[in-house]
Amino acid sequence: MFITFEGGEGAGKTTQINILKKYLEDQGLEVIITREPGGVTSAENIRAVIFDNEIDPITETMLYAAARREHYIKKIKPALDAGKIVICDRFIDSSIVYQGIVRSVGVDLVENINKYVINNIEPDLTIFFDLDPEIGLKRVSLRNEQMNRFDKESLDFHLKVRKGYKLLSKTRNRFVLIDASKSIEEVTKQIINIMKISGVVK
Ligand code: TYD
């Protein structure tokens, strides 16, 4: 079972992934959590190149795809083959939205490149954290972390990201939208409900 979490900045994906891991393990399931760009050393190194440089959108698309290939082959595929539940913080849809739509590389091109690098598989379930970017960016600025160059993009950029995800959620059946403006407990409830409806847990 391959579950991906998607959404804009500050939507709370990482917090919820950790809660979900524990919940699923308590049900006796084997779970690994991972993130993109990164997940394995080679891909984390590519992540540094992407984050530390201003790069052309097509170069950026290729770097994310290269990192994804490394991550998929070395970590995700072996875990799925071993029957584990894999929960990934961002995956192919981040590229479709950020590079394909917002950076105008084109949805079809980005999707084709990415399907190729992941052997044409698709996540079984994608949870989209829908949130007003003004709230998301406020949450990010309150964190004690350094902001990356995406966090520093204009509000218009983040509004386009949200619109992009909404568009995908209408055309892809595996997408489930959750309201990420709610409290941590309420968002967890929404996610556990999705786990039940989709048969991940009984
Ligand atoms: P990061 O700080 O890792 O995570 P998050 O925003 O999920 O807490 O930032 C990841 C950034 O990389 C985010 O702004 C989206 C961007 N990104 C892409 O543009 N394309 C991709 O394919 C992926 C995986 C991420």
Side-chain angles (χ1 to χ4, degrees):
M1 180 86 187
F2 184 24
I3 304 170
T4 57
F5 278 37
E6 295 281 355
E9 323 300 310
K13 292 181 277 94
T14 313
T15 308
Q16 293 297 335
I17 283 179
N18 289 318
I19 296 173
L20 179 61
K21 177 176 193 277
K22 187 163 182 313
Y23 171 80
L24 293 174
E25 284 175 346
D26 288 347
Q27 312 282 314
L29 298 164
E30 255 197 287
V31 182
I32 70 154
I33 57 176
T34 188
R35 69 153 186 190
E36 290 214 339
V40 292
T41 308
S42 50
E44 292 287 342
N45 290 337
I46 299 172
R47 175 188 177 96
V49 175
I50 300 170
F51 281 30
D52 297 345
N53 299 278
E54 279 298 328
I55 37 181
D56 163 81
I58 296 177
T59 312
E60 191 176 81
T61 301
M62 300 303 183
L63 288 172
Y64 278 117
R68 183 160 297 127
R69 173 81 185 164
E70 284 296 291
H71 186 208
Y72 176 68
I73 292 296
K74 292 180 177 161
K75 190 166 182 182
I76 297 176
K77 187 173 185 305
L80 291 173
D81 288 347
K84 294 180 186 163
I85 296 178
V86 177
I87 307 174
C88 190
D89 192 346
R90 299 191 178 281
F91 198 62
I92 176 170
D93 304 302
S94 283
S95 286
I96 295 175
V97 169
Y98 284 79
Q99 282 67 53
I101 298 174
V102 182
R103 300 229 187 257
S104 306
V105 176
V107 168
D108 288 346
L109 178 62
V110 174
E111 192 162 25
N112 286 335
I113 292 168
N114 277 281
K115 281 196 163 164
Y116 177 66
V117 302
I118 56 170
N119 301 350
N120 279 311
I121 61 114
E122 273 206 44
D124 298 298
L125 182 65
T126 298
I127 300 180
F128 162 42
F129 283 59
D130 185 38
L131 182 67
D132 177 343
E134 286 199 56
I135 302 175
L137 292 173
K138 219 172 267 164
R139 287 184 186 167
V140 172
S141 69
L142 290 173
R143 284 181 198 158
N144 252 348
E145 288 169 12
Q146 232 188 332
M147 298 204 5
N148 65 40
R149 71 179 172 87
F150 300 95
D151 300 331
K152 292 179 193 147
E153 284 283 355
S154 66
L155 183 61
D156 183 54
F157 175 95
H158 296 287
L159 286 167
K160 282 191 192 148
V161 168
R162 185 186 197 189
K163 221 170 137 195
Y165 275 120
K166 283 202 164 163
L167 189 78
L168 289 196
S169 70
K170 288 197 188 106
T171 51
R172 285 160 171 78
N173 287 337
R174 64 183 160 81
F175 258 75
V176 185
L177 182 150
I178 59 154
D179 179 354
S181 70
K182 296 279 190 318
S183 68
I184 293 180
E185 293 73 22
E186 279 171 295
V187 172
T188 302
K189 252 189 224 159
Q190 294 181 62
I191 294 173
I192 289 177
N193 207 18
I194 295 166
M195 293 300 124
K196 289 180 178 157
I197 292 169
S198 57
V200 182
V201 295
K202 292 205 183 91

